Amino acid sequence: MNAFSTGGKAGRVALFLSAALNLVLVSAIAVHFYRGYNEGPRRAGPPPGFGIERMAGRLPGTDADVLRKAYAQHESEIKAAQAGLREARGKVRTALEAEPFSADAVKEAMNKMDDQRDQLSTALRAVFTGAAAEMSHEGRVRRSEEHTSELQSRF
């Protein structure tokens, strides 16, 4: 016979420690799922500016610097538009989840989201048109080819 089967002090201690460990484990799992559920969707994907760096990496050296400089000139505008777009998306989610449901509230939230998306597009266009004006012909051609392949991969 061993200490666990006789119900001695060692068995009681082992049982207590096992139960305590299981309680801690179950609590940790519950907290993990609770936080993940209540925090909402997390921002997935690369950090802001990553796309510009990826594009710059495909351009000749001086053209890459031109693109980075153009982005830096509009960075605060782009980040503000991105933040506004995230906020607008949240308002669309809130309107969709509201009870009682209001189609007008959803339409209004979606219109605001479209406005924010337009602001972001305008800021990004300013980056690319400003950079293209200073790029070499080779850099503009590479950017054009990349843009075309990006569009084809979406559809």
Side-chain angles (χ1 to χ4, degrees), residues 1 6 12 21 25 34 43 49 61-62 68 83 85 90 93 95 98 110 114 118 122-123 127 137 139 146 148:
M1 276 197 187
T6 61
R12 288 190 302 267
L21 184 61
L25 181 62
Y34 177 78
R43 185 183 181 280
T62 56
R68 288 184 188 104
L85 183 56
R93 279 191 298 274
M110 287 181 164
D114 289 343
D118 290 345
T122 300
V127 169
H137 180 260
E146 182 179 322
T148 302

Side-chain angles (χ1 to χ4, degrees), residues 47-61:
F50 175 79
I52 296 296
E53 283 303 317
R54 183 179 46 83
M55 288 179 230
R58 295 179 180 158
L59 295 172

